[in-house]
Amino acid sequence: MILLWFIIILMAGGIVAWIVEKWNADLSRWISFLALAVNFVIAVMIWSQHDFMLAEPNSIWIADYAVNWIPIFGITFHLAMDGLSLLMLMLTFFLGMLSVLTSWKEIQFKIGFFHFNLLWVLAGITGVFLTMDLFLFYFFWEVMLIPMYFLIGIWGHENRRYAAYKFFIFTQASGLLMLLAILGVYFIHGNVTGTYTFDYFQLLNTPFEPDTARWLMLGFLIAFVVKLPVIPFHTWLPDAHSQAPTAGSLILAGLLLKTGAYGLLRFVIPLFPDAAHDISKWAMLFGVIGILYGALLAFSQTDLKRLIAYTSVSHMGFVMLGVFAFNELAVQGVVMQMITHGISTGALFILAGSVYERIHTRDINQMGGYWSKAPFMGFIAIVFVMASLGLPGLGNFVAEFLILVGTWNSSHLLTILATTGLVGATAYSLRIMQRIFYGTEIKSSHPFVDLSLREKAMMVPLVLVIVWLGLFPQPILNTSKIPMMKVVQTQSKSKQESVALDILNNKEDSKGGDHE
Amino acid sequence: MKELLWLIPTLPFTGALLLILLGRKLPRFAVSLIGAGSVGLAALITILVGIDFNSSSENSFQQIVWTWIDVAGLKPQIAFHLDALSLVFIFVITFVGFLIHVYSTEFMQDDEGYARFFTYLNLFVGSMLILVLADNLVLLYFGWEGVGLCSYLLIGFWYLDEKNGYAARKAFIITRIGDTAMAIGLFMLFKAFGTLHIQDILTQAPQTWTVGSEEAVFIAFLLLGGAVGKSAQLPLQTWLPDAMAGPSPVSALIHAATMVTAGVYLISRMHIVFELAPLAQMWVGIIGALTLLLAGFSALTQFDLKRILAYSTISQIGYMFLALGVGAWSAAIFHFMIHAFFKALLFLAAGAIIHLLHHEHDIFKMGGLKNKLPTIYWTFLIGSASLAAIPFITGGFYSKDAILWLSLAGEKGNVGFFLAALIGAFITSVYTFRMVFVTFFGTEKTHVSHSAGSRMTIPLIVLAALSTFAGFIELPHSIAHVELFSNFLHPVLPTITLQEGAESKEWIVQLIAVVVSLGGVYLAYYFYIKKPELPDQLKTSSIAFHNFWFLGWGFDTAYDTLFVKPFVFVATINKQDIIDRLYDELVKLADFLHRVFAWTQSGILRWYMVGIVVGAILIVTLSLLVGS
Amino acid sequence: MNTIPVEAGLMLAGILFVLGTISVLVRRNIIFMLISVEIMLNAAGLAFIVAGSRWVQPDGQVMFIFILTMAAAEVSVGLALILQIYHQLKTLDSDAANKMKG
């Protein structure tokens, strides 16, 4: 039931925030913030009270909620939460609160509608992270799409229309492929077993013909890799990120991309273990290309937000690489990467937003030497630039190191290439510091002031979280351990069933030997 | 007292944290107290821990603070490992680090970034301590990268000049290339042993690998890649001369106590792996030999005081690599320690000179400082003597002599290594005393405004004493039988076996070394005191060579044309992302089709009629044709 | 009773239909176009009648009544539209009424 409340609070909060704008615009900010804060507190409470290391296989689901929705078609309103979902939810609500805070000064018109959209995107994301019904999943997938379109299209920068369309078409087109695949899974499962259902758990062990499985998996895969994004489907991202308002970029980079990664872990691999294994080398290859190509593009950008956007392409390459390496190290690294990238890139976008508020440009050629004016901002920037280049002690290092160590088992060449991506990351990350903070100050008509109290209130928790993740990642890793082991197992189960049988037989043989 | 070990790296970090939080609000006095005090305390604790460690019978001491990561067998902990090797390193780091901190309190007095400076300095010392104390390679990598970060921050400390930022970035990126190799080495090690715990690897390695096994060679080369990057050896040495952009105490810290010696530490820490990979170990020696020569020649032509010292650092680290390459482990560490003392001394003295001469770096615009700055002169002279390995009275002589001797007589040594080291020694004493003579003798060219205060001179005197007397704890066999240092390191690093029958020739090698270093001094004296016009003639007659050496053998230019420019070029032309252009073409296609179909919707009724008629005729004809 | 051959009747209907079509295409005056459409409708009706008498079935005449009714309705709607167009555009030129251009 609590799971339903997560979504209801957000949706209702959004409607209320829209309505109260008539009386007081600030009130709608406060209501949005409050709704997210309540959710965040609940999520953290659940997290702190639950023991994730219990070895019982049933304890993987912390909460489960199911009611019939459209029983004729086998559609249920089924929400369930395991460690992975919970981590993603905490991230969602945390970044959600920050996105309200960062829009406090930036958004000055249609405030109520803005917050309505913001909360509904977050509600959609929450739904995506919780649903265990494919139909409902598709529903929430669309719910998070449309408000995001408005966020970019209405409150964005100069080229917002173009960016919003591009975002919409990419996601919608790929989403339709996923819908087709969902229907395919639904009918095949119905044909085979006689029960027509969209329920995730029942669909999990559907047997597919290898060819069918490949096509159906591609349907899901494309939807998720477009969101992630993986080259060559990444081109919506720099436009959407750079044109969206700060809160929009924050949610896009911090959360929307993660729904793609989440989908890979939750649907693609468990539903189609064999098919996923067949394409794993290619998927990893595209991940590596993404890492290197994203780094190259990030290095050349002059638009600060575009630069940060391309760093996301590069970082998400690691996710793709790790997911398809199919071992616990890499997959756990992927979970860390999802969280730490959300934090660090989110922080960089907030910084970019702060800079934009001050000098009204995103062109890094018109920036420079702000360290003396804004030392606090410089310090924060150092932290997140370092996080982005994977400095040990900050969360991103743990993630990338785990992914790379894990990937080494799958492919040496790809790991080596991906590791050289770290040099690229250094090049583009330091470019941010160099252009904005080094050199003599470039005077503009607007005085450059250091971070305000509100901005500090956003950045300080982010710094603490990224350092905490870097030094004490174990609580997070424990939380996702069992779900991730299941993911890895489903993969290896099908592949190694014969091997396992052999081992069992051998054991029995040896036992028999003992008896004799 | 050993239980206090965790405090040693923690203290500088705490200092840095305090300075981050309060730095801008505190008075300078409090900032120096926190900055220098925390490192001083760490040095004090190091001494206590060291005494305790020496008096106990155990060879190593472990301290686990917490488990960092624990995933599927990868279980790096935040844990410290103390043995003789790490003790030497933490002693040098904290002690020299502390002296540099004290010096900086005066040197940086008028800088607006006072608190920021000490924050970075503390972070630097803390990261280096983590590096040498780490009991697993992931934690070592933590320190390794932390050092890289701090060098970036400190080299670019004076951020108002964009060039400093670029120098800092260069240092970070180049060392990161080495780090990448090292990271891959870690992946391989984890795959091979299922752990990254250093001691476990060292015990398991000889059981898993035979000497020269392919995997061991690969891993050793990859680790060497990391070491080469951090220690500024060929081919990744180009960042170090540019790193002079930072304040002088930073150079002292980078060159003497931290950062560049990390590579030496890594190789000696993983010496078992290198012993199992003779090919890689030989390359350590070759790289060392080449680097010490190349850097030495470059140092001959520099006129920026700090750049001379920078090249001399590269060259001296080359000696350490050479020693590591021939398996003279403790000789390398011994040279590291002595080098730390005299190089810190030289940099601090050079910093003082530059400071007092209004940021004049060019040695040819100095001169005659002998009488003006007597303390600095004498300490600088002692440091230079040690660098040039003036016989018997300097620490540098004993440490370098050991390397010279072992590069010939050691089991893995050969004449080539020996000759390289010998030529290197000659060049070293030439450029060292060139620097001394030009800077301190002759006529005064730039006026000295004031003299250095006690907080600057006392560290100099202490370091001068150390770089002289520290040499006496390890004397060559031909002189006396003192082996305090190598005995101390013996539990960690094996002693080198000599080639048969070499023992008796040691004094000949020493004699040659003495002649060479004194000869170098005389040559410098002849050129720069007796016949000052000679160097210029030489320079004009061989200007091409001079420039080639001056620019560091053209490595920078080569890298620029080979790597940097192509990368930037590709990045620039692809700024708009070629893949996005493909989608643009798709959009254009859709747009074209849209236009075509929109054109048929002319709004003219009769056109539509034509369409209907033509369509009807077509259908009728078709159905007739198909029907019949 | 002398019966007219079916072919002749159908030929006439065909000629009428083609004439109607051509004049719809050539004429620009909407009223003439409407008239031409009426001719085409009647041509179709004639074809029905001929066919009905050929097969001796009432269906042809039934269909003709349908067409008649439809034509009446069409004319009334058509004339109303023409009136509107004339009001708005002050012309009966059909090419001028191309506001629906895509």
Side-chain angles (χ1 to χ4, degrees), chain B residues 560-581:
Chain B
D560 219 34
T561 33
L562 278 180
F563 302 113
V564 180
K565 278 189 185 146
F567 178 78
V568 174
F569 175 72
V570 172
T572 322
I573 55 165
N574 195 34
K575 184 183 170 192
Q576 299 300 326
D577 191 356
I578 184 127
I579 296 179
D580 201 25
R581 298 286 75 76

Side-chain angles (χ1 to χ4, degrees), chain B residues 367-568:
Chain B
L369 297 174
K370 189 170 65 150
N371 303 321
K372 290 278 174 185
L373 303 165
T375 327
I376 292 175
Y377 167 64
W378 282 110
T379 49
F380 195 87
L381 189 65
I382 292 171
S384 302
S386 208
L387 173 60
I390 299 300
F392 309 123
I393 48 164
T394 63
F397 170 70
Y398 295 107
S399 64
K400 202 182 275 180
D401 175 64
I403 296 176
L404 277 172
W405 162 235
L406 293 173
S407 69
L408 179 68
E411 206 177 19
K412 290 166 180 163
N414 57 45
V415 184
F417 283 161
F418 175 67
L419 280 181
L422 205 63
I423 298 170
F426 180 69
I427 300 168
T428 308
S429 60
V430 175
Y431 70 69
T432 309
F433 276 86
R434 165 181 177 259
M435 176 172 75
V436 173
F437 291 140
V438 173
T439 314
F440 289 99
F441 291 76
T443 51
E444 184 182 340
K445 288 168 194 141
T446 309
H447 182 65
V448 181
S449 51
H450 54 284
S451 58
S454 60
R455 275 176 295 161
M456 268 158 93
T457 49
I458 288 174
L460 294 181
I461 295 166
V462 175
L463 285 168
L466 277 173
S467 50
T468 309
F469 298 118
F472 297 129
I473 59 171
E474 175 94 6
L475 297 180
H477 294 202
S478 51
I479 295 176
H481 217 80
V482 182
E483 287 186 324
L484 288 176
F485 194 77
S486 45
N487 284 342
F488 178 64
L489 281 177
H490 181 66
V492 190
L493 299 172
T495 36
I496 183 169
T497 37
L498 296 180
Q499 286 167 1
E500 264 180 53
E503 200 100 18
S504 55
K505 296 175 198 135
E506 188 170 2
W507 66 273
I508 304 176
V509 171
Q510 271 161 355
L511 197 65
I512 298 173
V514 167
V515 170
V516 157
S517 70
L518 290 178
V521 177
Y522 177 72
L523 192 72
Y525 171 75
Y526 183 76
F527 265 54
Y528 290 93
I529 303 276
K530 277 194 104 172
K531 300 244 169 94
E533 70 283 355
L534 262 182
D536 282 332
Q537 289 169 10
L538 202 65
K539 187 177 164 185
T540 40
S541 64
S542 57
I543 190 75
F545 260 116
H546 179 272
N547 284 348
F548 186 53
W549 288 348
F550 180 71
L551 295 173
W553 297 72
F555 274 96
D556 266 326
T557 338
Y559 290 160
D560 219 34
T561 33
L562 278 180
F563 302 113
V564 180
K565 278 189 185 146
F567 178 78
V568 174

Side-chain angles (χ1 to χ4, degrees), chain C residues 2-52:
Chain C
N2 244 359
T3 50
I4 308 165
V6 180
E7 289 78 13
L10 285 181
M11 194 74 81
L12 178 62
I15 291 168
L16 273 177
F17 190 84
V18 172
L19 281 176
T21 313
I22 290 171
S23 64
V24 170
L25 294 179
V26 196
R27 289 286 186 174
R28 287 163 69 166
N29 190 311
I30 302 181
I31 293 184
F32 278 102
M33 286 171 80
L34 199 61
I35 292 168
S36 312
V37 172
E38 288 302 309
I39 293 172
M40 287 161 74
L41 281 171
N42 281 309
L46 184 62
F48 270 118
I49 299 278
V50 171

Side-chain angles (χ1 to χ4, degrees), chain A residues 166 232 234-235 293 297 300-302 371-372 382 389 392 404 408-409 423 426 434 438-440 470-471 474, chain B residues 66 68-70 120 145 149 153 156 159-160 162 165 176 180 187-188 190-191 571 574-575 577-578 580 583:
Chain A
K166 203 169 176 182
H234 65 284
T235 65
Y293 193 68
L297 276 165
S300 64
Q301 299 308 312
T302 48
W371 201 316
S372 51
I382 280 272
L389 63 79
L404 291 171
W408 182 261
N409 290 326
V423 180
T426 319
Q434 178 76 30
Y438 281 81
T440 43
L471 293 179
Q474 204 51 43
Chain B
W66 77 82
W68 187 11
I69 305 169
D70 179 9
Y120 296 166
E145 293 282 307
L149 161 70
L153 292 171
Y159 54 83
L160 287 178
E162 241 173 68
R176 206 93 206 281
T180 304
F187 306 150
M188 286 185 82
F190 181 71
K191 171 93 172 170
N574 195 34
K575 184 183 170 192
D577 191 356
I578 184 127
D580 201 25
Y583 287 105

